[in-house]
Structures are given as structure tokens and as C-alpha cells.
Amino acid sequence: MTHKLLLIIFLISFIYNQDKQDKEKEENIILNTHAPEWTVSDWLNSKPLTINELLGNVVLIRWWTGPTCPYCINSAVALNEFYGTYKNEGLQVIGFYHHKSQVLFDKDTIKEYTEKLGFKFPIAIDYEWKTLTAWWLKTNPGKWTSVSFLLDRKGIVRYIHSGGQYVKGDGEYEKLQQEIEKLLNEKM
């Protein structure tokens, strides 16, 4: 009995530490480095933007997809709240749409999704997932595609939300809000 209990404790400890190491590995790939320039040409709610143009702002970038993604829909409220609350303090929210639907891609439909979700901030269309792959999937295959990156005023990735949702009242939302406020309070 004692051997079985020790084996179970060992296995739980191993799995926990492996998961912790995997999370640290994925975050360390781009964390605390300058964000690479994105490769997108089509934008909604804005002229085309570059990272260099956004220096001096704290930038929250969220990849999202159409109306069949509950994590994207649930997080849309938070994105709109962060944008409305902090835009005058220097936060720029940018949504990166990446198409997952079986329905053929149509830019007008993406515009409708954007309006339905109430997005007033810039939306980039990441055709063929080029920027998503370069920033995230190349080194994190099989991970969430609804990832968020938070850049400081110098364009350095300071926080990664590795996917899923953040909703007001949950720990993920609170952590992201704390990170936004911390970076807004930092001097350039």
C-alpha cells in the first residue's frame, strides 16, 4: 500500500512539474523580447499599423475567430472594457482575426463579426495565420489560437495569456488587468 501511495504521489508531482515547465517554456520563447513585426495588410477600424508606430503605447493583441468560438465571444466584452477604460491612458487594443470556419472567407463577414462584437479598436486580418504562426504556433504547436500578448511602451512582450477566455470576475481577467495597469504606470 505504501509503495502504491508513493508511486501516485510521484506521478502527480511529475505531471505537475512537467506542466509547469511546459508553461514556462512556452512563455519564455517570446516573453521579454521585442515583438516581431506582423505580416498583415488588411485592417478594419484603422489604417494599417506597425509595431513601430505603436511605440509609446501599451499594446494588447488578441487573436480571435468568428462567432463559433465561445472563448472569443466571451473575451470580447473584456477587450471592449479594457479599450474603453484605458485607451486615454495609452492602451491600444488590437484584434487579429484568423479564419477557422468551414465557410469561405469573406472580408464583409469579418466586418459584420467585428460590428456584432462591438469592436471599435483596430482589427487586422491574419490571412493564412502568418503572424499567429510566427509569434506563437511555430514554437507552441497544438496550443490555443486565441492567444493574447501584452507589449510594453517599448514594444517588448511582457505578458502572454496563452488562450481560452478572460471574463470580468475571473482570475484571468484580473491578472490581465493588473498587467495592463502595471505597464501603463511604467515610464518609457
Side-chain angles (χ1 to χ4, degrees), residues 154-174:
K154 297 175 186 173
I156 297 172
V157 178
R158 297 283 296 278
Y159 178 75
I160 299 171
H161 181 269
S162 59
Q165 68 184 14
Y166 32 86
V167 179
K168 192 170 192 169
D170 73 15
E172 299 293 324
Y173 177 99
E174 290 172 10

Side-chain angles (χ1 to χ4, degrees), residues 77-79 81-82 85-86 161 165-178:
V77 174
L79 292 171
E81 286 176 1
F82 291 145
T85 302
Y86 300 110
H161 181 269
Q165 68 184 14
Y166 32 86
V167 179
K168 192 170 192 169
D170 73 15
E172 299 293 324
Y173 177 99
E174 290 172 10
K175 175 67 174 161
L176 182 55
Q177 184 176 34
Q178 289 170 0

